[in-house]
Amino acid sequence: MSGIHDTDTPLPRRTARDTATLPPPRRLPPSLAGNTSLPYPAIGRELAELRLHIPGVHGCVLGGVDGLLITHNLQTDVDPNDLAALAATTYGVGRQVGLRLGQGDFQQSTVRNADGYLSVYAVSQQALLAVVGEDSINVARLHLHAPAAAGRLAVLLDQGTEATG
């Protein structure tokens, strides 16, 4: 099997003490919050649709380009705050590639590992959609559906901003 094997040197993990110093997850405007038993129902439906339409999707994270979590529907033990931060890091690298090569704004980036994928999509200037999937996911299908979902999420976020601003 080809690839980099780095399981002998895992990345440092946050401790409980570190987690206590993290800022709280972002709150969406009240117009998007709706039913408090299910935060952000309109956004939640969009994230659920991706899981429904793309077999192998383990969940999605909506986060800011600053790495802060907005909301998620992960079905794994992955910390959604960590995934929001990884999405922002992926965005940062992709943004620099676009700038250096003169290829324009960040749109999407996919990382494939031995057992799965992480795809990050631009939602707006301030938000990102990260999708985690297993190795058998149909990546072409994901790339077909996720940008449209990101566009709908951008509209929902804009509507919420207008309602509170």
Side-chain angles (χ1 to χ4, degrees), residues 92-163:
V93 170
R95 183 172 171 261
Q96 288 302 311
V97 169
L99 288 170
R100 288 290 181 197
L101 298 178
Q103 294 177 336
D105 294 336
F106 175 85
Q107 299 295 310
Q108 179 272 330
S109 182
T110 298
V111 176
R112 179 175 186 228
N113 295 301
D115 296 323
Y117 289 87
L118 169 66
S119 288
V120 178
Y121 301 87
V123 171
S124 68
Q125 293 290 337
Q126 300 300 316
L128 302 167
L129 170 65
V131 181
V132 178
E134 59 193 35
D135 189 47
S136 63
I137 194 171
N138 183 332
V139 178
R141 189 170 184 178
L142 176 63
H143 291 336
L144 180 67
H145 288 278
R152 291 188 298 272
L153 288 166
V155 168
L156 291 170
L157 290 170
D158 284 345
Q159 288 172 352
T161 304
E162 291 170 7

Side-chain angles (χ1 to χ4, degrees), residues 14 19 22-25 61 67-69 74 78-86:
R14 290 186 189 139
T19 305
L22 290 176
V61 166
L68 296 178
L69 177 66
L74 289 175
V78 174
D79 182 345
N81 290 294
D82 285 349
L83 194 52
L86 286 171

